[in-house]
Amino acid sequence: MPTRSARTSWTGGLQDGAGQVELTSSGAGKFDVTFPRRVADAAEGTSPEELIAAAHSSCYSMALSAEIANAGGTPVSLDVTADVDLGPDPAGGFRIRKITLTVGGRADGLDAEGFAAAAEAAKKGCPVSKALAGVDVIELVLV
């Protein structure tokens, strides 16, 4: 399997500095990042948490597609949203406290119970879920 890369260039301190994240493997884009925008209520530019949410929702979608097929179903459409919650860490600084995966979709050949079982298996088997094992809660919400 290939290695994927991203690069960030940063100048200045935490509060007054700024950086740019570049998706170097794919060349898909460059994104400005700053700490004040990272912790602001309104999203301006991207943040590490948004990039983690993108990675998690896309990886989970692929894992769920595979689990549906493993259960004898045929994935028709999936819609996955990942919400990443950044907050204070009792030990100091910040930490990702919770990720909520909201999952909707349709799969031929599986009932609601079969879909739910595939969704739970995908949560456990998704490589990004595994990488995020240090997050206190990864919640799965089926819609």
Side-chain angles (χ1 to χ4, degrees), residues 4 6-7 12-13 24 26 29 57 59 63 77 81-82 89 92 94 108 118 121-123 127 131 139-140:
R4 302 294 186 217
R7 177 183 170 277
T24 53
S26 65
S57 67
C59 183
S77 64
T81 301
D89 185 341
F94 295 91
D108 291 341
K123 182 180 129 182
E139 178 183 31
L140 181 62

Side-chain angles (χ1 to χ4, degrees), residues 43-92:
E44 294 180 36
T46 194
S47 68
E49 292 72 33
E50 184 178 41
L51 296 170
I52 289 169
H56 205 176
S57 67
S58 62
C59 183
Y60 178 85
S61 296
M62 293 177 206
L64 179 54
S65 178
E67 291 296 340
I68 289 169
N70 290 342
T74 302
V76 176
S77 64
L78 301 173
D79 188 347
V80 178
T81 301
D83 295 310
V84 176
D85 177 43
L86 178 71
D89 185 341

